[in-house]
Structure formats: structure tokens, C-alpha cells
Amino acid sequence: MSEPVPVVEMTNISISFPGVKALDQVSFRMFPGEVHSLMGENGAGKSTLIKALTGVYSVDSGIMTLSGSRVAFTGPAQAQEFGISTVYQEVNLLTNLSVGENIMLGREPRRFGLIDWRATRIRAAELLTRLHLDIDPNSLLGSHSLAIQQLVAIARAIDVQAKVLILDEPTSSLDADEVAELFRVIRSLKDEGVAILFVSHFLDQVYEIADRLTVLRNGSLVGEYLTDEILRIDLVQKMIGKELTLLDDLEKKTHDSTSGDDGETPFLQAIGLGKKGAIEPIDLKVYEGEVVGMAGLLGSGRTELARIISGIDRPDSGSLSINGKPGRLRTPRAALSRGVAYSSENRKAEGVVEELTVRDNIALALQADRGWFRRIPKRRQDELTASYIQALGIRPPNPDALVKNLSGGNQQKVLLARWLAIAPRLLILDEPTRGIDVGAKAEIQKLVVNLAENGMSVIFISAELEEVLRLSHRIVIMRDRTMVADIQNDDISVESLLAIIADGSILEDAS
Amino acid sequence: MSVAPFPPATGAGRVLGGIRDVFTSPKYGPVLVTFLLLIVVFAVGGSRYRGFVSGPVILNLFVDNAYLIVLAVGMTFVILTGGIDLSVGAVVAMSTMIAASLLQAGWSAGVVIPLILVVTSVLGLLVGLMVQVFKIQSFIATLAAMFLARGLCYVISKDSISITDPFFVALAQTKIPLGDRMSITPSVVIAIALVLVAMVVLHYTRLGRTVYAIGGSEQSGMLMGLPVARTNVLVYVISGFCSGLAGVLFTFYTLSGYSLTAVGTELDAIAAVVIGGTLLTGGYGFVLGSVLGVLVLGTIQTIITFEGTLSSWWTRIFIGVLLLVFIILQKILTARRR
Ligand SMILES: Nc1ncnc2c1ncn2[C@@H]1O[C@H](COP(=O)(O)OP(=O)(O)OP(=O)(O)O)[C@@H](O)[C@H]1O
Ligand SMILES: [Mg+2]
């Protein structure tokens, strides 16, 4: 590909926050018709660079040019006017408005100065179709899952006649199918000459779509490479600054400890548990020390099931027993007191408390579990926080940092630490590694395996099938709001798992 | 996924779809409840007093509460963004004082009225800037504006000043006949016109949609590239303007200016907006709901007047109970929405 002038060129950009140098003399450029991936660990500075470019943060020093002329945007509104369309890392949409409005807000077609709702809705529907998203544009955004919301945010971004499209971890809660849809759209935009910035922690996706890579580490530029010219191992090494060797030894250990002998009472047993409109009645058993993976497509009912088990939503049929004792879990609190904890997929809305410190966030569930009048001693809190900061690599390693100032991946680690800290009898993890970098992901998987070996049961929900296969003893597959398979994980391949997910055929060889 | 596809947006289909949406969408729920409440309150009045449910009584509701409707409109804008405006009552009083004193000094109505609207809008602008630029809580900023406006009233005069300006007197006495012993005042026409304009602004302009966006999430709105800062200031200007206009309508009603008028009226306006289904945290609500809220308050007041023996404080007690009920209702509806 011949290289014309870059559309975007950022030179020696530095940004500091109190106590952190988030970007240090970073340079970055984007070419028209090219997909450029920004790579780096959690907290490396990817999102900060994007916010610098679009004027959310003002830079301390450095120069930015757009098609050769110098720019310094006052905010996303102005960046948009100059043809830069951005999907920021967290889903930043409005749950109180409809899907269609969210897509079109701020650029609704107008007639005689007034919004033409008809045209607006038609345009929104077109954009949804472009992503093959079959939802009603009049429905309230808040009524949809996080994955759909993420797709709606993307639909919004691709509407603008943009020269530059920025996608900060757009695929973090999407399944393979939606990723494929997204990539189709990215490729067609690329052919139209749009420059695309794509951030993801999934190396497969990056290698599939990106033409060029820029690696950041600790706020500094490591280098710019062409995707074809750099090997994965080298890339990972450049990102983390050392070699990565954790994943393989994990693989062996987990599967020999299969549990679920028939004599044992399961820790959790659901019979005919269901809720109209959310999930068809299903049966499920989870034994002590067992990791049950839950796989399925977008909207297949994984999260819905998890929410019912953990007392957030009320079932309207069936029964649940815990440790052999029947009884419904009416609230998350009741669930917690019986040893069932749920870590939400939506860390922004239902997870971390952004205004509190890392320490407070980690101690939160533990404190709630003990009751608010028996305060956890400060020393114990400090130890706990320090151990999880260390174990999960939370950065900056400062227990007093406010969670809202942490990078997305680091917020996710804090959320996980909170649930791991209370060591429940059954931990339901909904997309626990969402937005987490390769190194930390391996750490988290190791922690989960360790906890299970010590008797904790885990329900592990993830769109990343490799991860589900690596950790689970047993895999439950959901499809169209019912359970279509419940199989022992002995050497199932990703492909056969995909086959079940796709056509729902139950392999009868599994008991 | 078995979600209904997008319905064809044409002619009659759109109207039908619209009607269906009204009844199924959770955001219209509270407004419908308010509407039913209004009917219930009326039925109560009608069952106790002959002639309660009659044209004149209903029209009188509008006549007596025209200024409150205007206040509620401005308040709706502010509350939709998640803010609050405590200054409106004091600004009404200030407007009546400015009007009365300047008219007394011989200024003409044609100058005085625009001047009041400009002054109160500028006051709103200052509040908006405090909220947006200096990040002062709207509660505090408007509290300051409230004290300022009340204080200015006393600077103008401690005593009540009556208005004899022919234009004001004419407007106070004009009745627009609606046939069969019924009539309304020009104030009602102005209030209704304002409500219509506000509805169009909120639902058919980008400004209006940004108001809802800010109530949903200011941060998201900013990242979506919406003019959040400008809009955040503008809602206080709108509320200031409405307070000025309400003040003018109030002088048409009372033909005097007095420092102690409209004490606590800001709370009536807030109550009307909340009873009308607007969420105090912003993002959900309608101007029409606020109008219904005003009418509910007005009807309760009327019932108590009809009763004769009851102290007017009963109005307050009923409003208090209603507010409580509505805030609980909102909690339930928002909890279910998640
Ligand atoms: N508003 C802020 N105030 C203080 N520190 C901040 C702020 N925003 C970001 N940081 C810090 O800047 C660093 C870079 O964060 P950034 O969000 O850019 O990381 P990232 O590369 O996007 O990571 P992730 O993969 O987790 O999304 C982090 O150490 C973070 O704590
Ligand atoms: Mg990020």
C-alpha cells in the first residue's frame, strides 16, 4: 500500500494526571483506508491517547494534525465536526432514550428547523440493519443487554460521514458473530478510505483486521509495526515488556479434577427454574469445587439465568436449593448470605463505585457481608487490597486511587477482586475478563482455578470460548433462552462447541 | 432473537403505533397515573359539591394557576437535566416589585415587561454559569439566587405597591368569553401558548433532546458530542425567563407588587413537576405532565375552598402526601426499568 499523508498525526503527546504520567512523548499516526490497532496492557494509555485526540483531555505538550493542518479540539463535539467519530471504551449512551434516538442524537434530520422523527427513525433502522441488528429502534436503550448497547454505539459512530473512526474496545462484550458483522462493516468503511483506530485485547481480532499496530507500554511509545511483519510472541513481549508463559501449564491441571459424582449433593440445584420472557425453565446442578462454564450467543439467556440464580431477578417458576436446602433467593443480599455472589458484566452501571477508592471498592462486598457495624479493621483492608493489587496487577498500584480514574481494564480487576475477596461458596462471574489484557487474564484464570480447587463453585460466563473451555469442568450451553446442552468438558474443541451453539443440537453422548 | 421488526412508519400506521407506544412505554406511565389522579380528584369534588364539575370551575383552575403553569414549564426543563431551581418564587416576587415600582415611576408597560423578562433571564444566565462553569450544585446556586432576588425586593420597597397602569388594569379585567357564562383571561392564553412552545422545543428540537440527554447522563452526552455545556446553562435561562413571565402574569392577577408574595411558590412548582411524573434525577418527564400536576394541586385547593371550614393548610398536607406517593411510585418504576 502506498503511503499518502496521514489523516491523523499526533507528535510527542504528553498528558499527566495528578501522580500519573499517562502519556509520555507518544507519537501516533493513521492513514486513510487503513485499520490501525493501538496495543498495550491495561493502563498503558490507549484510551487516554484517544481522549487526547478527540479533545476530552487537553494535552500538556505535543502537536496534533488532521490532514496536515494543526488542530486542538475543545471536545468530542468539535472532533465530530472535523470528521472524527468515536466509540469510547465504556458504553456511553443514554439508557433513558430509545435506541433510535441514541443513534441519531445531535444529528437528527430536520424539516423547517424541527426534528423530522419519521426520517430519524428510518435512518436509525437503516443503520441497525447495516450491522444486521434486529431490534426495534423505538425500544428503550436501557432494556437491552450490554452487547446490544455496544452495537448501538457502533451504529451511531458509523453514521457520520467520518474520515476517522475510532473504536475503543468495541468487541469486549461481543460474540464471534457480532464481531464478524463488525469486521464486515469495518472493511467496507476501509474501502471507502476511512481511517480506523481499533483497540482490542483479543490478539486474534487484531491480527485479523489491523494493517498497522502501535504499541504503548506504561504511557510510552514502544513502536509502530505492520501487522504482517510482527509475530504474536514478539508483539506480546513488546506489550508487557517480558515473555509470557502462563497459559499452558494451566491447561493440564484443571481437567483431571472432575467432580460431580452421583452420590454427592450439589451445592446449587435448580429445577425448572424460569422467568417468562427472560428464560425458559431449566435444570442446573453445580457441585462444590466445580467450574461450570456457560456459553451461548448474544441474547441466549446466560446473563438472565445468572441474575435469577443470584437473586437479582425473581423467577416465576421452578425451585432452587442450596446445599440441599430449598428456598428462593429474593435479593442479592439474601443470596450473598447463603454464599452466592454475582459479578455483573456491566461494570459501569452495576459494578464498581466510581467515586470510591480502590480499597473501598475491594472491601465493599466483604464489609456488606459482615454487616456495616462490624467494620473491617483498616490493617486487614490494607492487606487485602495490597494482595489483590499485587495478584491482579492493578495499576497504578495505589489503594487510594479513585476507581473512576483507573483504566477500563483496571476497573474490571477491582470489581473481580471485590468478589474474590469474600470467597463465596458459589461465584457467578459474568464476563469477568472483559477488557482485560492477556497477562492479567491468565492471572485471573489461575486465581479462579485455585479457588475452585479449594472448594469454591464457579459459574463462568464468557463470550470467549477458549477461555470457557480452558477453565470449566462442565459446560452448559444456552440458546434462545433455553439450555440446549450440559456436557462434561473432556477434550471438546472450540469447533464442536460452536456447532452446538449454532444449531442447538444436543450431543447425546454426554450424560 | 424474536423482537418485532421496525414497523413501517407511514401515515395511519404511525399514529396507531404512537398510541400503542404511549400506553406500553414505561416513561409515559407516571403521566397517565397523574391524569387518572386528576380525574379521581375531580370525581371526589364532584361527589361532594354540586356544580363542582362544571366549565367555570375548570376554567377557573387555569385562571388561578396560569402563573404556576408558567413556572412549572421552566422548572420542568431544569429538573429534566437533573437540576433544581429554588429561586423561582423569589424571582416572581422580584418581577412584581420591578413592575409595580417602574410603573409607579411612570414607565410604560411596553418597556417594563420586556425589561423584566430580560432581567430574570440574565439572572438565570448567571445561575447557569455558576452551575456549569464553577460546578456549583444547582441547589446552592439557585438558593443564592433566591436570597438575591428576595433581597432586591426589599431594596425596591418594603411595602406593597399597587398598580394602576392602564395596560395592566386592562389585562387584569379582560375576560375572553367562551360562551355560556364561561371565560378565561389573557394570562391563560399566554400560559397555554408557552406550554405548546415548550412541548415543541422539548420534543422537536435538538436543544430539547439534549435536555433529556443531560438528564440521562451528562458524561455520555458530552462524549456523544452534544452541546452539554451550552444546554446546561440554557435551562436556567429558560427557567429565569419563565419566572419573569410568571411574575408578570401574577401582577395581572393581583395588580400589585409585594416583597412577600409567592413565598414557597418554588416548592409548589417543584411539587407540580414531580407529581406530573418528571423524575427528580432527570431524564424522564413531560411538560404536559407538569401541567397536569398544576391542575391536581389547583383542584385540591379548590376542594378545600369549597369546603369552607377547612384551613388552607390542608392543601399543603394533601400536597405533601401526594408528593410522597409519587416519589415512591417513581422509585418503583425506575427500579422495574432496570
Ligand atoms: N482522569 C484520570 N485521572 C487520573 N488518572 C487517569 C485518568 N484517566 C486515566 N488515568 C490513568 O492513566 C493511565 C492510562 O489509562 P488508560 O485508560 O489510557 O489505559 P488503557 O490503555 O486504555 O487501558 P485499558 O486497556 O484498561 O482500557 C492509567 O494509569 C490510569 O489510571
Ligand atoms: Mg482503555
Side-chain angles (χ1 to χ4, degrees), chain A residues 51 56 76-77 80 86 88 91-97 101-102 105-110 113-115 117-118 121-122 125 134-138 140 142 148 156 298 307 348 480, chain B residues 1 3-7 9-11 14 20-21 25-27 200 203-206 209-210 212-227 282-284 337-338:
Chain A
K51 288 184 173 170
V56 180
Q80 256 175 40
T86 314
Y88 294 93
V91 175
N92 286 290
L93 295 177
L94 303 157
T95 47
N96 60 325
L97 300 181
E101 271 194 88
N102 269 287
L105 207 60
R107 45 170 185 270
E108 299 92 343
R110 287 183 288 193
L114 299 180
I115 294 172
W117 283 114
R118 207 187 112 119
R121 278 189 281 249
I122 290 174
D134 183 19
I135 57 171
D136 178 4
N138 290 329
L140 221 54
I148 299 235
R156 174 178 171 83
L298 180 65
R307 289 173 68 95
K348 195 178 171 203
D480 292 336
Chain B
M1 269 179 297
V3 200
F6 185 52
T10 48
R14 216 170 97 232
R20 191 198 53 210
D21 284 348
S25 159
K27 62 181 183 180
V200 170
H203 297 285
Y204 289 91
T205 68
R206 292 184 183 168
R209 301 325 289 166
T210 307
Y212 282 90
I214 293 174
S217 162
E218 195 169 331
Q219 166 83 6
S220 296
M222 189 272 288
L223 291 178
M224 287 167 99
L226 303 175
Y284 296 93
R337 210 171 283 137
R338 279 162 213 265

Side-chain angles (χ1 to χ4, degrees), chain A residues 42-43 45-48 89 168-169 199 201 407-409:
Chain A
N42 295 136
K46 305 177 296 291
S47 301
T48 308
Q89 183 168 6
D168 193 354
E169 299 198 24
V199 179
H201 289 291
S407 79

